[in-house]
Amino acid sequence: MTRPRAAFARMTGLRWMALAAALVLGACSSVEKPKPTPLEPLSGRIAGKQVWRASVGKPMPGMAVAVLGDRFLLASADGRLTSLDIGTGAVRSQVSVGAALSAGVGSDGRHAAVVTQNNELVVLDGQREIWRTRLNSRIVTAPLVAGERVFVQAVDRSVLAFDVFDGRRLWTVGRSGEALSLAQPGVLMAYRNTLLVGMGPRLLALDPLTGALRADTTIGSPRGTNEVERLADLVGPAARSGEVVCARAFQVAVTCLNAERNAVLWSRAQGGFEGLAIDTEFVAGADATDRISVWRRTSGDVAWTSDRLRYRGLTAPLSVGSTLVFGDSEGLLHVFSNDRGDPLLRLSTDGSAIVAPLVRSGLTVLAVTRSGNAFAFRPE
């Protein structure tokens, strides 16, 4: 079994939980983890440099970084929210919610929302806590704050909406039919005046005001003889460019659709459990062995593939200008040309794994490591 870190979280009975644990432990004990592919020597074909470094505290699994104008906003596992200046890395503000967190931070620029390990949703206005409420399920996906609402996706992929000002629960949409879900962030994103939510292998388009279903699109068709093999939850981050949204169904497929028409454009089989990147021409992702594939956005035809980074524990990719960037488990950033896959640049952090999806503001790329450091780079 390769890279078992995308383990499953929840079953509806102890017998199923015991079976899943036995399957995972049995597979991992009998199969040795492949060694990372040795890196080829690389003299940078483009310029790039580290522009600042900041300590942000121990990250939690499923960490997410919010990009807010001229600030990056991050939450550490101990409950601290830190706002960093994108240009300099200087701390603009820092506040603690007084409890350990289970998911990353979501923010609309004014309000920020986090969830504690005690399943409390905490909402702040600037640096002031304005309310908190107890939830009935564990949360690993960062909340979404938009349209004066806070949207929360539970680990069972059900979704709840709250009024951002007073914490009133506005609506809930539950998940039915699947007994098993992933313990990693799912798909929860805004598209114009629609909320897009991953539930199992389906992408739901919901009315953010009422929770009413507007569209239901299947991203991947589960296969297998048991609940574990049929697990096909959508995993975040999904990728969007204009009207095109692309998402991965765990271990099944990468699918792109026109979110305006709720019509599938193309789907390609690829087993994997990290998110995707998209630009005006290409869609990129790596499979469970870290084999990189890049497809043409309009047709889904393969533009290029690469085995250069297999078994290196890649993050979801990030599209930056004409380049594609991956982080890995040794704290390296690998920069490729997005049209041909030529390796262009390799950048180092502190040697510990990059644990949050890479984000950017303009050409400034932010990587967060397991050691609790944030590194800003600018490929040129």
Side-chain angles (χ1 to χ4, degrees), residues 64-119:
V65 179
V67 182
L68 307 169
D70 60 352
R71 298 175 293 133
F72 291 123
L73 181 62
L74 308 88
S76 59
D78 63 4
R80 282 181 295 145
L81 278 66
T82 303
S83 174
L84 300 175
D85 185 279
I86 288 175
T88 66
V91 175
R92 300 270 290 271
S93 65
Q94 194 169 70
V95 63
S96 175
V97 300
L101 302 181
S102 66
V105 61
S107 177
D108 62 0
R110 173 182 172 182
H111 295 97
V114 291
V115 180
T116 73
Q117 290 186 6
N118 293 325
N119 298 336

Side-chain angles (χ1 to χ4, degrees), residues 346-366:
R346 188 179 299 143
L347 298 163
S348 300
T349 58
D350 57 17
S352 64
I354 295 172
V355 293
L358 303 171
V359 297
R360 70 179 178 94
S361 175
L363 294 179
T364 300
V365 176
L366 189 77

Side-chain angles (χ1 to χ4, degrees), residues 5 57-59 329 350 352-355 368-373:
R5 60 192 173 100
K58 181 182 178 181
S329 62
D350 57 17
S352 64
I354 295 172
V355 293
V368 181
T369 69
R370 182 169 290 142
S371 295
N373 295 309

Side-chain angles (χ1 to χ4, degrees), residues 110 228 294 376:
R110 173 182 172 182
V228 175
V294 174

Side-chain angles (χ1 to χ4, degrees), residues 36-57:
T37 300
L39 296 175
E40 302 171 359
L42 177 62
S43 56
R45 298 175 57 183
I46 61 172
K49 61 181 182 180
Q50 177 184 315
V51 291
W52 53 261
R53 168 179 176 167
S55 177
V56 294

Side-chain angles (χ1 to χ4, degrees), residues 73-348:
L73 181 62
L74 308 88
S76 59
D78 63 4
R80 282 181 295 145
L81 278 66
T82 303
S83 174
L84 300 175
D85 185 279
I86 288 175
T88 66
V91 175
R92 300 270 290 271
S93 65
Q94 194 169 70
V95 63
S96 175
V97 300
L101 302 181
S102 66
V105 61
S107 177
D108 62 0
R110 173 182 172 182
H111 295 97
V114 291
V115 180
T116 73
Q117 290 186 6
N118 293 325
N119 298 336
E120 284 189 316
L121 171 62
V122 184
V123 174
L124 301 95
D125 186 344
Q127 298 185 62
R128 179 177 61 91
E129 181 180 324
I130 55 175
W131 56 269
R132 66 174 63 198
T133 189
R134 178 79 63 175
L135 305 173
N136 294 326
S137 181
R138 182 178 171 223
I139 308 296
V140 295
T141 302
L144 173 66
V145 185
E148 300 184 348
R149 283 165 169 72
V150 181
F151 303 99
V152 178
Q153 184 180 55
V155 75
D156 65 0
R157 299 314 198 224
S158 60
V159 179
L160 303 88
F162 298 86
D163 186 286
V164 75
F165 296 107
D166 59 22
R168 287 180 299 117
R169 183 181 295 191
L170 303 174
W171 52 261
T172 302
V173 173
R175 178 186 183 185
S176 61
E178 293 90 7
L180 190 62
S181 57
L182 285 174
Q184 72 179 78
V187 173
L188 180 68
M189 63 188 296
Y191 172 74
R192 297 183 179 175
N193 66 340
T194 298
L195 181 68
L196 299 181
V197 178
M199 285 195 183
R202 299 147 50 217
L203 185 66
L204 306 186
L206 304 179
D207 184 328
L209 301 181
T210 66
L213 181 66
R214 291 176 172 171
D216 183 343
T217 306
T218 298
I219 298 297
S221 298
R223 303 184 299 269
T225 59
N226 56 55
E227 293 288 342
V228 175
E229 293 176 352
R230 289 195 294 271
L231 182 60
D233 272 7
L234 302 192
V235 298
R240 177 194 167 191
S241 176
E243 296 179 347
V244 178
V245 173
C246 300
R248 177 190 298 283
F250 173 74
Q251 73 184 355
V252 176
V254 169
T255 300
C256 290
L257 65 149
N258 183 301
E260 196 67 27
R261 304 195 311 267
N262 297 299
V264 171
L265 301 174
W266 53 266
S267 185
R268 297 293 178 265
Q270 188 194 58
F273 45 77
E274 296 291 351
L276 307 170
I278 191 172
D279 63 16
T280 57
E281 296 185 69
F282 303 102
V283 177
D287 68 12
T289 71
D290 294 320
R291 184 174 191 262
I292 298 169
S293 294
V294 174
W295 303 271
R296 300 194 182 280
R297 195 184 84 161
T298 54
S299 64
D301 294 336
V302 174
W304 57 270
T305 62
S306 175
D307 292 328
R308 296 175 186 270
L309 303 180
R310 291 191 75 185
Y311 307 114
R312 298 200 64 86
L314 297 184
T315 65
L318 179 69
S319 179
V320 184
S322 61
T323 68
L324 188 67
V325 187
F326 287 86
D328 75 10
S329 62
E330 295 180 350
L332 298 173
L333 267 65
H334 305 270
V335 184
F336 296 87
S337 64
N338 60 4
D339 59 345
R340 297 175 51 182
D342 296 327
L344 303 176
L345 183 65
R346 188 179 299 143
L347 298 163
S348 300

